Amino acid sequence: MNSPATGRAKSARPMIIRYQGVIKRYGAFQALSGVDLDVHSGEVVCLIGPSGSGKSTLLRCTNGLEPTDGGAIEFEGAPLPRDERALRAVRRRMGMVFQSFELFPHLSALENVAEGPRTVLGMDRPGAESRAAAMLAKVGLADKAPNHPSELSGGQQQRVAIARALAMEPDVMLFDEPTSALDPETIGEVLNVMKTLADEGMTMVVVTHEMTFARRVGDWVAVFDVGRIVEQGPPRQIFEAPETERTRDFLSHLGWNG
Amino acid sequence: MDFDFTVITSHARFLGSGIVTTLALSLASGLTSLAAGFVIALARLYGPRWLRVVVVLYIDSMRAIPVLVVLVWTFFALPLVTGLTMPPFAAALLGLTVHLAAYAAEIVRAGVESVRPGQMRAAVALGMSRGQAVRRILMPQALVRMLPAFGSFLSITIKDTAIASVIAVTELMRQSETLAGQSFQPIEVFSFAMLVYFVILFPVTRAVDFVYRRVAYLGRS
Amino acid sequence: MNLDWSVVWQHRDALLAGTATTIVLTVATMAIAVPCGIVVAIMRLYAWKPLAVLATAYVEFFRNLPLILVVYWAFYVLPILTGVGLSPLATGLSALALNVTAYNAETFRAGINSIRRGQLDAAMALGMGRAQALRRVVLPQAMRRILPVLASTWVSLFKDTSLVSVIAVTELAYVAMQIRAQTFRVLEMLTAMAVIYWLLGYPQAKLVDWIQRRFAVTE
């Protein structure tokens, strides 16, 4: 189901990602059955929906970690390449944050954040590390630079992971359930960093179960169910006046009462 | 029953050279089989299909054939095939390497496969090539995770050098055997040999354990 | 270099007998080493302190010695120490059993320890005695972890029987090397020896793989 351009206040901005009829299969299982979605520059697009509805799959298709089986994904006006080398160039312009953080345990926080600039961008060590230090300061962890991931709390690790992605200076940030693996006390510190990023104008695609975040920070919300988007629109529409039964069901199951 | 340990002291040099040979053969074969095992494991993990089949056949064959048989074949039969004679130490080194490399390869493989797949995904998401990701992110963690098994590998290597006595390598086992036969004092001589082996082997696994516990966090993702 | 492979066929009876001895040695050693291993493991874990220390010393001692040395020691020293003269076969069996018992003891101990303490506590809280709790609750669960390791030890033992050839026990390795010495057919006999071990050992190794897959523990 497509969503009209009406009500899309920021549609005048350039389009960063366009998903058209995206299809993805795992053997006999249809993970995505034709997804249409636009992401404009500076927007925070939140993907919500039950587990297994395809949200994370779409994210992994966005940066080519998974190939699609049908449809098209356009990034900054050009179709997503199939060739691995060209894909790598695309990945440099996208930052990804994982549910399980996936910090590199054998490197310190500073080295983790500097790893991308050093290995992928070919920066020299002092340059990469000074950029890393700046990114760590941005997420509020300048003092944790020499620590290894095993010495950091979940929330701190996730913030370092965000800094690691930011150090590549991406055009868009992809978040795959960034707070799902965190203790309740530390969720807030991560969401705050994400809100700061949003306020600064970063384009973000966020798969999340944090409805408050989607409501307050999101510019556009897409509701997933069994591999397709059942409804999409501004947060006000989705959370206060949902147009489809499915959306109402999903939200009420979460205990969301408008 | 009285024991006379002077047989040990009066043949100190004889036994001492045996100890030196044991240590030299252990170190040499340990290093060569680790290096070979590493390459073999990489072939199994990342190589083309036909290579993988060959490697698995080799590894499983070494699980079936005893070290003694490999050593004896290398020393007595291989020269007949190649036309080159080999001194016992070289034959032992070759035979031990061939046998131990299979074990080493399995340790490396297990270490690599124990790293979370998410780590590779994160590295690739940053824009690294597969080769970069394997080299910079996967291997360092895998190496740490291999350490515990590495201790038992060292232990087995050292114990296997004693089997080289069968092909006349003058390491400690051989020297002890010779001396015990000549002096008719097997109790003293073999007790000494047992003590030496124990003193060499016991700390080895302990030391590896100690090192592992201190660096384990580098491999925990 | 002319090869005469018929020498292998000609001596097939001796080779077969040697193989039988190898198998008998393996089976007999395990038959001794499994129960003894359990006993030593229990001693280490639950016995009165001096006994536990003794058990630990035994295990650590034999795990840190080359088996071939133990074989020689058993041959030369055991008769003097015990005053009893044993046949080479019995001597070889003793050496193997001493060695494998130590490994099994460690396997059983690690397996038992891997079961959460809470299981034993729960069983004893129900009123079971410790021995009963071990038997009915802990050991059955530990068996899942222990079996694959025992299978692996079995395959190693099968190969290690070749070491008793140095004290003239007529198992496969000794027989093959004797035939080599008599016929001077070095390449043929040594290759045949390797091939026979391969034919016997390869299926066993694959069986161990299957056992490990089947009993893989996922928590």
Side-chain angles (χ1 to χ4, degrees), chain C residues 33-57:
Chain C
V34 168
C36 289
I38 296 180
V39 168
V40 174
I42 305 260
M43 272 173 69
R44 274 189 83 173
L45 286 170
Y46 303 115
W48 171 48
K49 197 73 187 301
L51 267 182
V53 168
L54 207 67
T56 303

Side-chain angles (χ1 to χ4, degrees), chain B residues 60-61 63 73 159 173 201, chain C residues 63-64 103 191 198 205-206:
Chain B
D60 284 337
S61 298
R63 290 166 71 194
W73 198 93
K159 284 188 237 174
M173 181 69 246
L201 285 165
Chain C
R63 283 181 68 212
N64 285 295
Y103 281 98
T191 307
W198 189 90
K206 282 319 198 185

Side-chain angles (χ1 to χ4, degrees), chain A residues 63 65 88 91 94 96 98 100 102-106 115-116 118-120 148 150 164 168, chain B residues 116 118-119 121-129 132 136-137 140-141 217-221:
Chain A
N63 69 350
L65 282 180
R88 283 209 295 273
R91 287 183 192 130
M94 298 186 192
M96 188 168 227
F98 299 82
S100 47
E102 300 300 349
L103 286 185
F104 306 135
H106 56 298
E115 184 64 13
R118 272 193 77 189
T119 306
V120 181
H148 281 259
S150 58
R164 181 177 63 180
M168 299 294 286
Chain B
R116 290 170 52 100
Q119 289 287 300
R121 249 180 272 144
V124 166
L126 271 179
M128 288 193 216
S129 72
Q132 281 176 324
R136 291 189 66 88
I137 305 301
Q141 297 182 52
Y217 73 98
L218 288 173
R220 207 171 289 135
S221 50

Side-chain angles (χ1 to χ4, degrees), chain C residues 41-110:
Chain C
I42 305 260
M43 272 173 69
R44 274 189 83 173
L45 286 170
Y46 303 115
W48 171 48
K49 197 73 187 301
L51 267 182
V53 168
L54 207 67
T56 303
Y58 164 76
V59 170
E60 286 303 314
F61 189 63
F62 278 95
R63 283 181 68 212
N64 285 295
L65 291 178
L67 178 53
I68 193 173
L69 176 55
V70 177
V71 170
Y72 274 119
W73 175 83
F75 186 71
Y76 285 107
V77 177
L78 263 189
I80 301 177
L81 280 183
T82 61
V84 179
L86 292 170
S87 70
L89 185 67
T91 309
L93 181 62
S94 311
L96 288 169
L98 275 172
N99 180 271
V100 179
T101 298
Y103 281 98
N104 283 352
E106 181 58 21
T107 303
F108 282 108
R109 186 188 72 98

Side-chain angles (χ1 to χ4, degrees), chain B residues 48-127:
Chain B
R49 184 146 187 261
W50 65 267
L51 189 57
R52 266 182 276 151
V53 171
V54 169
V55 165
V56 171
L57 191 69
Y58 155 71
I59 292 177
D60 284 337
S61 298
M62 288 304 128
R63 290 166 71 194
I65 304 178
V67 183
L68 176 75
V69 172
V70 173
L71 284 176
V72 165
W73 198 93
T74 309
F75 186 59
F76 290 110
L78 185 62
L80 296 176
V81 174
T82 61
L84 305 162
T85 50
M86 255 189 296
F89 190 90
L93 182 58
L94 179 61
L96 284 173
T97 302
V98 167
H99 200 264
L100 288 167
Y103 182 36
E106 286 296 84
I107 292 177
V108 173
R109 181 176 76 105
V112 167
E113 289 182 348
S114 75
V115 178
R116 290 170 52 100
Q119 289 287 300
M120 280 297 281
R121 249 180 272 144
V124 166
L126 271 179

